[in-house]
Every structure is written in structure tokens, then in C-alpha cells.
Amino acid sequence: MKPIIEKYKDSVIQIATPFSVGTGFYLSNKNIIVTNEHVIRNNKAVVVEGNGINRSLLPVIYIDSKYDLAFIKGPGHRAEMEIELGDSDKVLEGNSVVAAGHPFGLKFTATQGIVSNTRHIQDDINYIQHDAALNPGNSGGPLINDNAEVIGVNTFILRDGHSLGFALPSNVLKKTLDDFLKEKESLAVRCSSCLNIIYEKFQKDTYCPNCGAVVKFISSIEEYHASGIRRSLEDILRQNQIDVELCRRGPYNWEVIEGTAKILLSYHEESGMIVAESILARLPKEKILPIYNWLMQQNFELRGLSLGINKNNIMLTAIMYDQFLKPEYASIILKDLFQKANEYDELIIRQFGALPNEL
């Protein structure tokens, strides 16, 4: 399993939109990131990030609701990130597989399992059924065989199905890629009625030229505009020179990188609580008391922020509530948190020997 993890850790991509987070994988030789349609739904561009790809906003170039597939334009060919598509027709029940992805929006994770059914039919589509653990956020990630080849795209799970996952076979993906790439530099969608791929550059209206069905093209997708408390929070982020489009992580979460520190901003709709927290460095194994003394001293001086420890992580946190939210005050608090997160992270590593966390 370790060689597979090493090979795929740079090619498995985290995808984020204003509505959800998910996974994709980068086919460098085609300069395409593959994922599920439901991951990028209602977005003409999405945020992608991975070990081999810096966080960036990239355009969606193909949407396929029939097979729950979507393609995102890649960042440019990179030979060191080559991965291969295997032959899904050769998959047998009992074969070992690895599912790779970013569950819950976390960093790269891989789980192992076996194929339990090679012909699970749902909505007239054949899926590979397996028991490698999948969680929300894994959608769109690769299912990998022992030869380190992609044999499927993880698409859905049964919530009460004891870790039953289902992957679209790689041969379906291969054919879709071949059909899509017949035309260069054109956005495309698959017609949900006749199932033909329709290229936007040839269309003068919103109807399928083959069957006449209404088709929703990528260019017709409306830009996302936050509303309510989300708009207020995003306005506050913009006041602090934060690129809001790049830091969205679903409807109520934002992630900001400030120097060596990562700041997570979350809104909890039921409680009305707004939490901004930065995971700083980790406690060292020795000489911890000076850090505790420093934390207490800083907390005595801080206003609107507090330092603490969660497990072995040193945290800097601000808590506010929507009904009492004053944008001017919140902007000052967040600006202070962004500045101090980076400052404190470097200080406790340098001065107290704390251990850096990976971003």
C-alpha cells in the first residue's frame, strides 16, 4: 500500500466550492482533473489544491450528470505526476483496492479494501462495489488496484451499508475522455436525454442538436453570490485582503493561510456561533511548562482572542455570535488573529521548540 500512497499523494486533489468539498485526481498527460459532477455542481470554476498543485481557481470544462463525472482544466502537464487508467473489465471479486481522497476536507487519506461485486447495477449503470472506507469528501477520488492503476471513480456510498462504496468503472471514464477530447478547447456537457456529448462552441441555443432536449451549458451557470451571514463574513474577510474565492470550503467554512499558520473560519447555523481558530504548532515532548506559562501570560493581555491547547495542538481562537456581530469589531478581531497566528506560530517554534504542523 505504501508505494501506491507515494505515487498518488501528489495526484489526488482536494476540490472546494461554495457548496461542498470533494476529491479529484489529476491525469497529467491529458491536463485534466477528474471528479464527480455532484462535487462541482452549479459551479463554472472550483478551487483545487494538492501536494503537487498550489491552491488555485480552475475552470470546469465538462459536466456529465448521467455518469456523475466532471472534468476540470488542469494546471499544465507535469511528467512527475503521471498516473495510469487500468482496465476495469479485468477487475475480479476479491481483488485488493485502495481508495484515496480528502475525507471531510482533510489532507490526503488512503484506505484499503476488497472488491465485493463487479456488477452492481444502479440506474442502468454498472458500478464496482468495494469495502474500502469512504467518507463525505471522498467523492470523485480514485479507486486503485495493486498495480497502482485507477480502476474506478469513487462516486457514492450506502450510509448504513457498513462501508460499502461504489465506483464508476475506469473504462467508462476512458471512453468519456476519448469522446470529450475529440474537440479541442471546447466546454461540453452530456445530454441527459440522448446521452450525446454536446460542445458549446457549436451551439447557438440551449437545445440539444440531436434530440431537442434543453441542455444547461457550463457558460450559463450563474456566478455564486453569498447572502445573509455568509455575505457579512466574506465582506469582513475582503476587508482583510483575503481572496474569498480561494478560501471557501463549503457553505459555512473558510480556510485562510497566513504565513506558517492556517486559520479556519466556521459558522454554526443552529447556535449562531462564529469560530475563527488557528492551529499553531504542536507541543514538544519536553520543557512544556514554559509554554503553559507563556500562554497564560498572553491570554491576560489578549483582547477578543484566546490561546489554548487541544490535544497537543496549540490553538489561537476567536468566538463571536451572529446576533451580536458588528462588522467593524469583527474585522479588527480577525485582522488581529491573522497577524498573531503567524507571529505566534513562528515564536513558539523558535523560542520554545514547539513542533511545526503541516499546512
Side-chain angles (χ1 to χ4, degrees):
M1 184 173 174
K2 186 175 180 181
I4 292 176
I5 292 174
E6 286 300 313
K7 181 170 183 175
Y8 277 83
K9 67 180 182 180
D10 291 340
S11 300
V12 176
I13 309 302
Q14 186 177 31
I15 298 172
T17 79
F19 310 109
S20 66
V21 292
T23 297
F25 54 95
Y26 181 43
L27 299 178
S28 179
N29 60 338
K30 301 182 187 301
N31 195 33
I32 284 175
I33 297 171
V34 177
T35 188
N36 288 142
E37 182 272 336
H38 74 261
V39 170
I40 59 83
R41 186 171 297 160
N42 294 326
N43 290 274
K44 61 174 65 177
V46 297
V47 176
V48 303
E49 183 178 16
N51 287 338
I53 296 178
N54 292 330
R55 185 182 297 187
S56 52
L57 189 69
L58 296 179
V60 176
I61 56 176
Y62 175 72
I63 290 177
D64 187 334
S65 58
K66 169 65 176 178
Y67 294 109
D68 201 356
L69 278 176
F71 302 154
I72 302 162
K73 186 175 182 179
H77 178 74
R78 300 183 185 184
E80 73 279 5
M81 296 175 65
E82 290 284 0
I83 58 175
E84 299 80 36
L85 297 179
D87 184 352
S88 55
D89 287 343
K90 295 181 179 179
V91 177
L92 300 174
E93 294 178 7
N95 284 169
S96 296
V97 289
V98 172
H102 294 272
F104 305 108
L106 302 175
K107 288 296 184 181
F108 176 82
T109 301
T111 56
Q112 197 164 14
I114 62 169
V115 173
S116 52
N117 186 356
T118 60
R119 293 195 59 77
H120 175 86
I121 307 296
Q122 184 159 322
D123 297 328
D124 297 322
I125 301 173
N126 179 58
Y127 292 95
I128 299 171
Q129 179 181 317
H130 62 89
D131 64 0
L134 297 178
N135 290 292
N138 271 121
S139 291
L143 187 68
I144 308 161
N145 65 13
D146 284 341
N147 296 322
E149 299 169 326
V150 177
I151 57 167
V153 183
N154 287 314
T155 301
F156 67 95
I157 59 174
L158 293 182
R159 293 190 179 277
D160 298 318
H162 303 290
S163 297
L164 288 183
F166 300 87
L168 184 75
S170 57
N171 286 354
V172 177
L173 171 60
K174 284 182 186 178
K175 187 177 187 313
T176 303
L177 283 165
D178 290 342
D179 291 344
F180 168 71
L181 291 171
K182 288 177 182 177
E183 290 293 334
K184 304 297 182 183
E185 302 299 323
S186 178
L187 306 180
V189 299
R190 187 186 295 279
C191 175
S192 59
S193 181
C194 68
L195 304 184
N196 285 298
I197 291 179
I198 313 301
Y199 298 94
E200 284 202 29
K201 68 180 182 181
F202 299 125
Q203 294 305 115
K204 296 181 180 179
D205 53 36
T206 59
Y207 299 98
C208 174
N210 301 293
C211 69
V214 175
V215 177
K216 184 177 182 180
F217 291 109
I218 296 171
S219 61
S220 69
I221 297 174
E222 295 183 1
E223 299 288 346
Y224 171 78
H225 296 288
S227 59
I229 187 65
R230 286 176 287 186
R231 179 176 178 177
S232 298
L233 292 174
E234 292 194 351
D235 286 345
I236 291 167
L237 290 173
R238 289 190 182 95
Q239 290 171 16
N240 284 280
Q241 287 73 56
I242 301 300
D243 189 331
V244 171
E245 285 189 323
L246 285 182
C247 70
R248 288 174 179 144
R249 292 293 180 272
Y252 296 115
N253 296 281
W254 298 261
E255 180 184 272
V256 178
I257 303 297
E258 191 70 26
T260 61
K262 178 190 292 185
I263 298 97
L264 303 175
L265 177 64
S266 301
Y267 172 61
H268 304 270
E269 191 172 19
E270 290 185 6
S271 65
M273 183 184 293
I274 302 162
V275 179
E277 61 182 6
S278 177
I279 303 172
L280 307 180
R282 290 175 287 126
L283 290 173
K285 292 184 178 180
E286 300 176 342
K287 299 180 180 178
I288 298 175
L289 184 58
I291 296 180
Y292 276 95
N293 290 334
W294 179 82
L295 292 176
M296 289 188 289
Q297 179 183 354
Q298 294 302 312
N299 277 335
F300 183 76
E301 300 173 0
L302 286 172
R303 295 293 180 269
L305 304 176
S306 64
L307 284 158
I309 294 173
N310 183 4
K311 296 182 179 179
N312 70 334
N313 289 312
I314 301 169
M315 312 286 292
L316 179 64
T317 305
I319 297 177
M320 297 168 278
Y321 288 89
D322 55 5
Q323 60 181 323
F324 304 117
L325 184 68
K326 296 182 178 179
E328 300 82 2
Y329 172 76
S331 182
I332 293 171
I333 291 296
L334 289 183
K335 182 178 181 180
D336 198 25
L337 186 146
F338 296 150
Q339 292 175 345
K340 283 188 165 55
N342 186 42
E343 174 189 330
Y344 285 169
D345 193 49
E346 293 179 346
L347 185 149
I348 57 180
I349 291 172
R350 182 180 66 252
Q351 186 170 325
F352 298 106
L355 307 174
N357 270 311
E358 291 185 13
L359 293 180

